Amino acid sequence: MFLLGDEAVAQGAIDAGISGCYAYPGTPSTEIMEYVQASKTAQEGGIIREWSANEKTAMEAALGMSYGGKRAMVCMKHVGLNVAADPFINATITGVNGGLLVVVADDPSMHSSQNEQDSRYYGKFAQIPVLEPSSQQEAYNMVRVGFELSEKYGVPVLVRLVTRISHSRAAVVPEKPDRRKELKLPQNLKQFVLLPSIAKGRYRKLLSSQHVFEEDAAESAFNQLILSENATKGVVACGLAYNYMMENFPEGDFPFHMLKLSHYPVPEQLIRAIYERSEELVVLEEGYPFLEDVLVGLPAKDKPVHGRLDGTLPRDGELNPYLVGKALGLPLEEPRGIPAVTVPRPPTFCPGCGHVDVYKALNVAMEEYGPGRVFSDIGCYTLGALPPYNAINSCVDMGASVTMAVGAADAGLVPSVAVIGDSTFTHSGMTGLLDAVNKKSPVTVIISDNDATAMTGGQIPAGLGKIEQICLGLGVEKEHVRTIIPLRKNYGENVEVMKEEIKYKGVSVIVARRECVRILADRKKKAKAGSEK
Amino acid sequence: MKTDIVLAGVGGQGILSIAAAIGLAAVKENLYIKQSEIHGMSQKGGEVYSHLRLSDKPVYSDMIPLGQGDLILSVEPLESLRYLPFLKKEGWLVTNSKGYLNIPDYPEIETLVKEIEKIPNHLLVDADRIAREAGSLKAANMVMLGAAAPFIQVSEENLEDAIRTLFARKGEEVVEKNVKAFRAGMKEAGEVS
């Protein structure tokens, strides 16, 4: 099979006999769920595979399935784990019944993200095993091993992907599928009740498992220590960085001791073995200097440790074979430069996109108040920050547009406006709107509703057709929930509606609804293909 | 044997179809393959690229090492220049000469051509014109695949079979248009180089 890393994870999970896959879309993790959704095996096996409203609800539902004794996988991008951090950390205390695999795709270099946080820290924070594949085949295999570890120790296991694994294809050889598990309650029906008296005991159990997690990592087939006869330098290559190192020595003839590290917690035994044999160490890792930090902090450190912290490698951004080769002291030629004439081509709104009509009208409606009053959010509409629109002043995290507008209004910035998409609204905007209603905040929330989670490819959103009802249910006054159609022909009318609601000194919501043009085009194409058949 | 290819273009120009066709052909020849893609935000009318690595030995890195690419295959001239750091000294730059003008500061086409001509091994192809003549402007990506075929170490027969497989779902007419475009691109490369 020729699979993306994401697809290898999905196929691995289907073959490992999952009964449920839970996720909220986010680059570079989206294709995991999409593959499970498209899988015939998953359909025939009745694997639960609908998108969740956000990563927290996904994590909790997965934990619930695990409670029922079945294998569950939950997938998200790195910042999604921030949203799901509460159930994630607490699931390590409750432990699991059926295997629970948490798959998180990091985005170093921020190709499509707000930061480049390294999820291995979350694994360490949660004190659970972490698996970090260096290839698509390893990604496939690690899912199976991850479920086995999860059930063996009764804890969730974290799989950490990065963009270049998630979105790169390679051949994957699948294994024989496992059977799906039957419904089976936990032996102890109080296991999941985290009252302090119970949680204390559960936490001690987690702590007492730490040394076996580490022993497992020391013996793991995913970790590999190669000590050479005459080498003086040692290289520790974590996850994907192993490939970048090997790319520089395709015949395997590297002149140093090497530790390939893909299974955490950091096995002290292996680290000590390479440290003792080496005069200096180079640490190669995608993301933050997670391991380097540990090594630099060794109390008895008497040998140089090189990596991202001492400038041997860049402190931020992705690694690549060239950077790694340079860090290993190889005589590499300077690559060509990019000609000065090569201007960037940033992403743009699709022709005919409804968000454009929203911003054109909003910019005019806001003219009388001056710039700097529009808070926005995560989605295609974040492109409204770029010229020629320059329409928004924030993009922080899912849902922050609504709550930041509330806070800014508290600070005296009246009126304050929020622009949020429909899927982001149901992800994390609804609770903020409830805050706004309760304090009668003078804010206007524009929900630019294109009936889709469009930026990640048009997944079905949680609020489909229910946005106005949700707003009314949260207590927004009926006469201040307005619906407009963002089309050029409605421009004048839309400006008026916006002006009226922005002027109102309480909470108002404008639902600007028009289907995503891409999804519309796809739907028409499919309909045409259908009628031809 | 290895061929490291940077595929370049603008979101929507069909570079992933080129990647898929080469990938299918390479599978038939039992080569090791890695193919990295760009998904997410940058797809929307922005710069898009894919790294495609074919070899008779296992491939480690998903990304082509800087300065080691054998071929830049671009469906757009400005985009062809963006990935020059990946091209090795004697590598080939094969690009569509027709610009995709969706940014206000798009450079003069003559300036771009001058930069492209600085690369000793380059091939400029008017893929839009050739595709139109072959029956479908949409198939400009297949014209470019044809033009670059001599520099890719898989057989032209297998590439053509791959195109047939890839478009089979869309009906015989689409298949023939794409094959015709591919052949026209190959012919153009034969005449120019």
Side-chain angles (χ1 to χ4, degrees):
Chain A
M1 306 177 86
F2 189 53
L3 300 178
L4 290 176
D6 279 353
E7 297 171 345
V9 166
Q11 185 64 46
I14 293 166
D15 292 346
I18 55 165
S19 296
C21 179
Y22 299 88
Y24 183 80
T27 314
S29 71
T30 312
E31 293 79 6
I32 304 173
M33 176 64 114
E34 288 187 328
Y35 186 93
V36 178
Q37 289 183 338
S39 156
K40 224 179 139 197
T41 318
Q43 190 195 350
E44 286 164 2
I47 295 176
I48 302 293
R49 54 198 204 289
E50 285 94 29
W51 295 108
S52 301
N54 65 37
E55 293 86 353
K56 180 175 181 283
T57 65
M59 183 81 72
E60 290 155 351
L63 184 63
M65 177 161 276
S66 162
Y67 177 94
K70 298 187 175 182
R71 286 185 169 179
M73 177 166 77
V74 53
C75 316
M76 63 201 71
K77 68 183 295 175
H78 56 337
V79 289
L81 188 51
N82 298 334
V83 176
D86 199 2
F88 172 64
I89 301 290
N90 289 338
T92 68
I93 314 292
T94 61
V96 306
N97 184 23
L100 175 58
L101 200 68
V102 180
V103 181
V104 181
D106 291 358
D107 189 18
S109 277
M110 304 179 225
H111 297 283
S112 207
S113 303
Q114 300 80 46
N115 74 32
E116 59 172 20
Q117 67 187 54
D118 185 331
S119 297
R120 291 178 299 168
Y121 282 91
Y122 263 116
K124 188 176 179 179
F125 187 35
Q127 306 179 81
I128 56 169
V130 178
L131 303 171
E132 188 190 13
S134 65
S135 67
Q136 289 72 8
Q137 182 70 55
E138 259 190 0
Y140 175 89
N141 296 341
M142 278 178 172
V143 170
R144 184 77 58 105
V145 170
F147 275 115
E148 285 163 3
L149 288 172
S150 174
E151 282 160 6
K152 183 171 166 195
Y153 298 118
V155 293
V157 168
L158 179 70
V159 173
R160 182 221 186 194
L161 306 173
V162 291
T163 304
R164 302 299 182 182
I165 286 280
S166 287
H167 285 171
S168 172
R169 287 179 198 280
V172 172
V173 182
E175 292 171 357
K176 204 170 145 276
D178 279 348
R179 288 170 66 110
R180 272 179 294 281
K181 312 246 170 188
E182 298 297 324
L183 181 67
K184 183 171 152 273
L185 286 173
Q187 273 183 340
N188 171 6
L189 288 178
K190 298 228 167 81
Q191 178 190 332
F192 288 78
V193 186
L194 292 186
L195 278 167
S197 58
I198 299 170
K200 278 179 199 170
R202 297 291 315 169
Y203 184 51
R204 281 189 211 110
K205 181 170 183 297
L206 176 67
L207 292 178
S208 70
S209 302
Q210 294 301 309
H211 74 280
V212 282
F213 293 170
E214 199 184 313
E215 277 168 22
D216 261 4
E219 284 158 23
S220 171
F222 299 126
N223 293 338
Q224 200 185 357
L225 176 67
I226 298 174
L227 298 172
S228 322
E229 274 297 299
N230 306 314
T232 55
K233 193 187 268 187
V235 174
V236 187
C238 304
L240 185 62
Y242 168 76
N243 280 353
Y244 294 155
M245 188 210 77
M246 290 301 289
E247 183 65 36
N248 284 289
F249 303 97
E251 308 296 331
D253 52 347
F254 45 83
F256 35 72
H257 309 300
M258 198 275 296
L259 173 60
K260 170 187 179 289
L261 192 60
S262 278
H263 182 162
Y264 307 78
V266 176
E268 193 185 328
Q269 186 187 331
L270 298 183
I271 296 289
R272 209 161 275 288
I274 192 166
Y275 183 77
E276 277 166 10
R277 286 286 296 273
S278 310
E279 287 170 17
E280 59 177 335
L281 280 184
V282 182
V283 184
L284 308 171
E285 45 194 334
E286 194 66 291
Y288 288 6
F290 172 80
L291 178 65
E292 191 183 350
D293 231 0
V294 175
L295 297 181
V296 170
L298 280 182
K301 193 190 81 146
D302 49 4
K303 298 169 185 173
V305 174
H306 306 293
R308 289 187 185 266
L309 291 174
D310 77 336
T312 303
L313 287 162
R315 183 64 180 77
D316 67 338
E318 290 179 299
L319 299 178
N320 62 45
Y322 181 82
L323 289 173
V324 166
K326 281 278 182 193
L328 296 175
L330 301 181
L332 298 178
E333 256 180 61
E334 275 291 306
R336 287 175 219 259
I338 299 174
V341 61
T342 315
V343 292
R345 191 192 304 260
T348 52
F349 286 113
C350 305
C353 174
H355 295 315
V356 169
D357 292 289
V358 169
Y359 283 131
K360 280 184 177 164
L362 180 61
N363 277 350
V364 172
M366 289 302 287
E367 251 167 18
E368 58 182 294
Y369 305 104
R373 294 169 177 273
V374 181
F375 301 87
S376 192
D377 233 297
I378 317 268
C380 293
Y381 49 93
T382 316
L383 294 171
L386 305 176
Y389 309 104
N390 304 308
I392 62 170
N393 309 105
S394 80
C395 158
V396 181
D397 68 87
M398 299 288 280
S401 58
V402 179
T403 26
M404 280 184 74
V406 169
D410 288 349
L413 192 71
V414 179
S416 287
V417 174
V419 177
I420 186 168
D422 54 313
S423 190
T424 308
F425 178 69
T426 49
H427 179 291
S428 291
M430 301 190 298
T431 42
L433 184 58
L434 182 59
D435 280 350
V437 167
N438 288 345
K439 63 203 289 186
K440 300 187 171 54
S441 205
V443 298
T444 298
V445 177
I446 297 174
I447 303 176
S448 199
D449 179 1
N450 55 11
D451 278 354
T453 313
M455 193 169 70
T456 47
Q459 292 77 20
I460 296 170
L464 199 58
K466 302 185 281 282
I467 298 290
E468 287 90 342
Q469 279 166 271
I470 291 168
C471 296
L472 293 172
L474 289 171
V476 184
E477 296 155 286
K478 197 160 181 254
E479 54 278 25
H480 293 291
V481 178
R482 311 277 295 267
T483 303
I484 62 173
I485 301 171
L487 276 171
R488 196 184 297 173
K489 65 173 185 184
N490 301 337
Y491 167 79
E493 190 186 317
N494 292 345
V495 171
E496 283 317 305
V497 172
M498 286 183 186
K499 278 187 173 170
E500 282 168 32
E501 295 307 328
I502 290 165
K503 205 165 273 167
Y504 175 61
K505 292 281 188 294
V507 179
S508 55
V509 172
I510 299 168
V511 181
R513 179 174 297 121
R514 178 151 71 80
E515 188 179 15
C516 167
V517 283
R518 288 213 170 187
I519 293 166
L520 178 67
D522 282 353
R523 205 158 49 81
K524 280 189 177 159
K525 214 186 276 176
K526 268 185 206 147
K528 196 179 155 209
S531 67
E532 277 169 9
K533 273 176 198 166
Chain B
M1 190 297 278
K2 66 120 186 162
T3 309
D4 284 337
I5 310 164
V6 180
L7 300 169
V10 179
Q13 282 193 314
I15 70 158
L16 287 184
S17 298
I18 302 180
I22 302 174
L24 277 174
V27 166
K28 213 167 184 186
E29 302 195 8
N30 286 318
L31 297 174
Y32 291 94
I33 313 166
K34 277 201 173 173
Q35 180 204 325
S36 76
E37 307 174 358
I38 290 293
H39 297 225
M41 190 162 212
S42 50
Q43 279 180 300
K44 298 175 193 301
E47 48 206 56
V48 175
Y49 66 92
S50 169
H51 284 200
L52 189 55
R53 312 194 65 192
L54 318 176
S55 175
D56 54 4
K57 297 198 186 92
V59 180
Y60 285 101
S61 172
D62 300 87
M63 302 295 291
I64 297 169
L66 289 169
Q68 292 186 34
D70 302 285
L71 169 67
I72 292 175
L73 199 183
S74 182
V75 192
E76 209 281 343
L78 172 62
E79 296 309 314
S80 77
L81 295 171
R82 208 178 297 287
Y83 308 100
L84 281 182
F86 289 101
L87 191 64
K88 68 181 181 191
K89 271 212 181 97
E90 62 283 18
W92 275 88
L93 175 68
V94 180
T95 180
N96 188 357
S97 59
K98 201 64 183 291
Y100 187 96
L101 280 63
N102 67 342
I103 44 172
D105 53 349
Y106 195 93
E108 290 293 327
I109 195 79
E110 292 78 19
T111 325
L112 294 178
V113 169
K114 239 180 245 164
E115 289 294 341
I116 291 164
E117 283 172 349
K118 283 186 192 164
I119 307 301
N121 293 327
H122 69 270
L123 181 59
L124 275 156
V125 179
D126 189 345
D128 288 22
R129 176 185 57 81
I130 299 170
R132 223 177 359 251
E133 285 168 8
S136 168
L137 181 57
K138 269 187 173 168
N141 57 345
M142 291 299 130
V143 172
M144 289 314 302
L145 176 57
F151 312 107
I152 303 170
Q153 295 190 28
V154 293
S155 78
E156 283 149 7
E157 292 73 39
N158 281 337
L159 281 174
E160 192 173 308
D161 281 350
I163 295 170
R164 290 185 185 282
T165 310
L166 196 64
F167 293 101
R169 209 163 42 87
K170 298 188 173 173
E172 191 52 30
E173 197 187 336
V174 177
V175 169
E176 285 314 318
K177 271 183 188 163
N178 278 284
V179 167
K180 210 172 154 201
F182 171 73
R183 286 184 185 163
M186 247 178 9
K187 182 154 170 279
E188 180 80 5
E191 281 167 11
V192 180
S193 59

